[in-house]
Amino acid sequence: MTKIRTLTALILAPIAIAAILLLPTPWLAALAAVVFLAGLWEWFKLAEIDDTLSRTVLLLVNLLLMVALVWASRSSSGGSLVLFQLATVVGVIWWLLAALWLKHYSFASDHDTHARMFKLAASTLAVVPAWCALGLIHASDPTPSVWGTIPKGHLWLLTALMIVWAADSGAYFVGRRFGKHKLSPRISPNKTVEGLLGGLAAGIAVGVAGGALAGASPAQLPWVALVALLAVAASVVGDLYESLLKRHVGAKDSSNLLPGHGGILDRLDGVLAALPVFALGKAWLGF
């Protein structure tokens, strides 16, 4: 399983990195919307929306919300990202509430209409703000970096994603080797405190290195480390929340689309939570 997991990552990672670094923000946002909406489709399954027509309508509603945000942000002077910023703040608030949800395992765990409504609302509050945060980070600094014509904002987005990827890998390998104390046995029995610490260390290290490459000054690197820490913590909440949804319906993965990784949502869960936190921290602390 580890070999398959690694092989899948080696195939997908270069494609994702090339898209982040080389595509202009509108094209990357369009590509990301496709990926995020695919993850949303799997979320609907975990919310027990089994009817294909219903899932399609719900998907179109979320797509139209994304389109509406883009359309409302346009102006004769080139546009404004205020709505994207507001959506990002909403995303951060949502994940704080999701952390509280994790403490109440049984909330919306039944299979009636009200439980589905909560989980459907959660899907939009998770996916759309994360997509907005992705666009914000990518467009945050169009000035060329030391790596030639690649804008600094593109490197910042890559850094944000690599923080999550590094934290996920660090937690996986450290947890397998040293894990003894369960982090949340009822929600995700395989996650350990030792894995969490390994993920935090890996995420912060990658965040500082990526921040330096993206153009952060030495004085800014401690703030980058702080935001990386918060982003990793948020990614853990996102991971655990998706695990909670799967526990409620007895699913192991959101799908079997990605060999060794499960579904698209299984790869996006931490990213959905980390991106708004990283975008807000970056804007607030000014790096």
Side-chain angles (χ1 to χ4, degrees):
M1 181 60 73
T2 302
K3 290 182 179 179
I4 297 175
R5 182 186 180 98
T6 303
L7 181 61
T8 302
L10 289 175
I11 294 173
L12 294 179
I15 297 174
I17 292 170
I20 292 165
L21 295 180
L22 301 179
L23 290 179
T25 299
W27 283 100
L28 181 69
L31 178 61
V34 173
V35 176
F36 281 27
L37 290 172
L40 191 63
W41 180 267
E42 296 177 352
W43 192 310
F44 295 155
K45 177 183 175 184
L46 298 181
E48 298 185 288
I49 307 299
D50 298 319
D51 180 63
T52 301
L53 178 60
S54 298
R55 291 166 74 178
T56 301
V57 171
L58 288 167
L59 196 73
L60 288 174
V61 169
N62 282 271
L63 173 60
L64 289 174
L65 178 56
M66 291 176 171
V67 173
L69 285 168
V70 173
W71 180 81
S73 299
R74 299 177 63 189
S75 70
S76 58
S77 59
S80 168
L81 293 175
V82 171
L83 290 178
F84 280 64
Q85 293 167 340
L86 289 174
T88 297
V89 173
V90 169
V92 173
I93 294 171
W94 152 244
W95 286 110
L96 290 173
L97 294 174
L100 294 176
W101 191 332
L102 295 177
K103 295 184 64 176
H104 302 279
Y105 176 90
S106 298
F107 180 74
S109 62
D110 53 10
H111 308 290
D112 63 14
T113 302
H114 296 92
R116 291 192 183 98
M117 292 298 292
F118 279 116
K119 292 173 181 178
L120 289 176
S123 68
T124 298
L125 289 171
V127 171
V128 175
W131 177 75
C132 290
L134 179 145
L136 278 178
I137 299 169
H138 199 255
S140 62
D141 192 344
T143 59
S145 66
V146 295
W147 302 95
T149 59
I150 298 175
K152 291 180 179 179
H154 296 200
L155 292 176
W156 278 117
L157 178 59
L158 181 60
T159 298
L161 293 174
M162 289 189 69
I163 287 170
V164 180
W165 299 339
D168 184 57
S169 298
Y172 179 77
F173 290 108
V174 172
R176 287 192 62 184
R177 177 66 178 84
F178 302 104
K180 293 182 179 180
H181 302 88
K182 300 297 183 181
L183 178 64
S184 183
R186 193 176 186 187
I187 297 175
S188 186
N190 293 328
K191 288 182 172 57
T192 63
V193 174
E194 291 81 4
L196 172 62
L197 295 176
L200 284 170
I204 292 171
V206 168
V208 170
L213 293 175
S217 67
Q220 291 173 324
L221 290 180
W223 297 117
V224 175
L226 174 61
V227 173
L229 184 150
L230 295 175
V232 172
S235 75
V236 174
V237 173
D239 195 338
L240 287 174
Y241 183 77
E242 196 226 355
S243 296
L244 179 69
L245 295 180
K246 290 188 290 188
R247 287 282 172 184
H248 282 175
V249 296
K252 183 179 183 294
D253 297 311
S254 60
S255 76
N256 58 0
L257 185 63
L258 303 176
H261 290 267
I264 291 177
L265 186 59
D266 294 317
R267 293 300 89 211
L268 283 181
D269 49 11
V271 170
L272 294 178
L275 283 178
V277 170
F278 189 91
L280 182 60
K282 181 180 182 301
W284 194 1
L285 297 173
F287 57 78

